[in-house]
């Protein structure tokens, strides 16, 4: 079985790679300057995600969620302010972050197992451990029997499980996700939400998860950063004070959904 002989590779406590995985978003602004009028996509956005915390960013389309996701991931440069991960300024993508996009971004010419192992080449994992690590991650997302399959024959939900396994393979401090379940049907989405919470519980990762689905945010998050548009900014930060596992028919669940919808200005 994977990982039996060497727990140091897989146990974040023992690997000691991330003393803290706290994310600090400090006064981040972003202005896109193209040919036309400049767009102020983010203005003075500040919040923190504590180590091990699950934070959702919620807001209407165009409020800057993806821009903020890309700035935190080191994929887009902020115009103002800074992002720090474990105290270190983020200036470019690193293996300290596992990133999951809405559109899967799997490599069609690689098998499931090769996709999951892809980032390990750039990581600190010794080459001898790569196969075992990929197998371990596949087991974590329940896809072991599909290791030799190519992405084209997987369902959307399965593709996103592969993307999550790939993001986690390098044992990142932070799991960063942009509307990862936006393209799957409602039933699959709820299943993936439960699975993600299981993965979070078993790995203790810090998670920053973007969604425009308020019920999804209330299902997942310890705290919700509610954003507003024009310019993209933090409207409010809501503690989700609902017992886990969360049930949608719990009145506290409904209360939180209603409160966040009101803050966004959406119809209840
Ligand atoms: P969200 O993910 O919340 O829908 P985005 O971050 O994608 O929001 O977009 C925020 C604003 O920035 C929108 O007005 C969008 O049109 C604009 N925008 C996003 N990306 C670019 C870009 N590359 N160039 C110019 N404007 C952009
Ligand atoms: Mg977006």
């Amino acid at each position: 079985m994977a990982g039996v002989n060497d727990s140091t590779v897989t146990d974040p406590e023992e690997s000691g790679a991330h003393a803290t995985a706290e994310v600090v978003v400090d006064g981040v602004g972003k202005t896109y300057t193209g040919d036309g009028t400049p767009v102020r996509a983010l203005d003075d956005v500040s919040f923190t995600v504590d180590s091990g915390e699950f934070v959702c960013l919620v807001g209407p389309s165009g409020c800057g969620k993806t821009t903020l996701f890309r700035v935190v991931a080191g994929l887009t440069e902020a115009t103002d302010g800074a992002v720090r991960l474990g105290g270190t300024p983020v200036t470019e993508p690193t293996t300290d972050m596992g990133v999951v996009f809405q559109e899967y971004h799997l490599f069609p010419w690689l098998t499931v197992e090769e996709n999951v192992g892809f980032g390990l080449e750039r990581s600190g994992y010794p080459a001898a451990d790569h196969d075992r690590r990929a197998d371990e991650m596949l087991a974590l997302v329940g896809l072991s029997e599909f290791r030799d399959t190519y992405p084209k024959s997987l369902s959307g939900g399965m593709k996103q499980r592969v993307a999550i396994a790939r993001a986690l393979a390098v044992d990142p401090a932070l799991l960063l996700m942009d509307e990862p379940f936006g393209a799957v049907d409602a039933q699959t989405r709820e299943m993936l939400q439960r699975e993600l919470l299981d993965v979070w519980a078993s790995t203790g990762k810090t998670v920053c998860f973007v969604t425009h689905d308020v019920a999804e945010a209330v299902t997942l998050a310890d705290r919700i950063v509610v954003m507003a548009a024009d310019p993209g900014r933090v409207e409010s930060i809501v503690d989700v004070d609902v017992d886990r596992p969360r049930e949608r028919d719990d009145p506290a669940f409904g209360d939180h959904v209603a409160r966040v919808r009101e803050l966004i200005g959406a119809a209840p």
Side-chain angles (χ1 to χ4, degrees):
M1 209 176 86
V4 173
N5 296 322
D6 184 1
S7 62
T8 56
V9 171
T10 52
D11 186 338
E13 293 285 309
E14 287 182 38
S15 74
H18 320 295
T20 169
E22 184 195 37
V23 183
V24 176
V25 177
D26 185 8
V28 165
K30 175 70 185 178
T31 302
Y32 289 107
T33 46
D35 295 338
T37 323
V39 176
R40 188 68 172 159
L42 295 173
D43 190 61
D44 196 18
V45 171
S46 295
F47 62 92
T48 59
V49 185
D50 295 335
S51 197
E53 193 181 21
F54 200 131
V55 165
C56 282
L57 307 179
V58 180
S61 181
C63 73
K65 300 183 297 297
T66 293
T67 301
L68 183 54
F69 161 87
R70 292 183 59 87
V71 169
V72 174
L75 294 164
T76 292
E77 201 180 342
T79 315
D80 322 279
V83 174
R84 289 184 293 278
L85 173 61
T88 306
V90 176
T91 53
E92 59 183 3
T94 75
T95 53
D96 286 341
M97 284 184 239
V99 180
V100 180
F101 303 88
Q102 179 169 353
E103 312 83 12
Y104 317 125
H105 290 284
L106 299 180
F107 303 109
W109 60 89
L110 298 179
T111 65
V112 163
E113 186 175 30
E114 288 163 347
N115 266 283
V116 171
F118 184 79
L120 290 168
E121 300 295 330
R122 293 180 295 130
S123 74
Y125 277 91
D129 291 329
H130 288 187
D131 286 354
R132 193 188 63 196
R133 181 67 182 167
D135 283 348
E136 232 171 52
M137 292 301 107
L138 284 175
L140 186 70
V141 298
L143 285 179
S144 298
E145 61 192 283
F146 296 94
R147 60 164 59 81
D148 298 322
T149 304
Y150 286 87
K152 67 174 188 305
S153 33
L154 300 179
S155 68
M158 289 160 85
K159 283 181 192 164
Q160 210 50 303
R161 287 191 191 92
V162 175
I164 291 168
R166 182 177 61 187
L168 288 170
V170 297
D171 192 22
L174 171 68
L175 185 58
L176 192 54
M177 311 172 90
D178 187 9
E179 308 217 20
F181 308 148
V184 298
D185 62 84
Q187 207 183 341
T188 305
R189 174 186 283 232
E190 287 184 22
M191 193 161 68
L192 290 169
Q193 290 166 357
R194 283 193 296 275
E195 289 174 13
L196 177 61
L197 287 172
D198 288 345
V199 166
W200 175 59
S202 66
T203 61
K205 294 291 174 210
T206 306
V207 183
C208 189
F209 184 107
V210 171
T211 179
H212 66 263
D213 179 336
V214 174
E216 178 163 79
V218 175
T219 300
L220 297 173
D222 293 321
R223 285 188 302 145
I224 299 175
V225 176
V226 181
M227 296 179 66
D230 298 318
R233 62 195 187 275
V234 176
E235 170 70 34
S236 184
I237 298 179
V238 175
D239 283 315
V240 185
D241 207 0
V242 183
D243 291 339
R244 297 177 189 276
R246 292 179 181 155
E247 304 294 342
R248 287 178 186 231
D249 53 11
D250 179 346
F253 188 99
D255 289 349
H256 281 76
V257 170
R259 188 153 141 240
V260 173
R261 288 214 171 119
E262 197 179 303
L263 287 165
I264 293 174

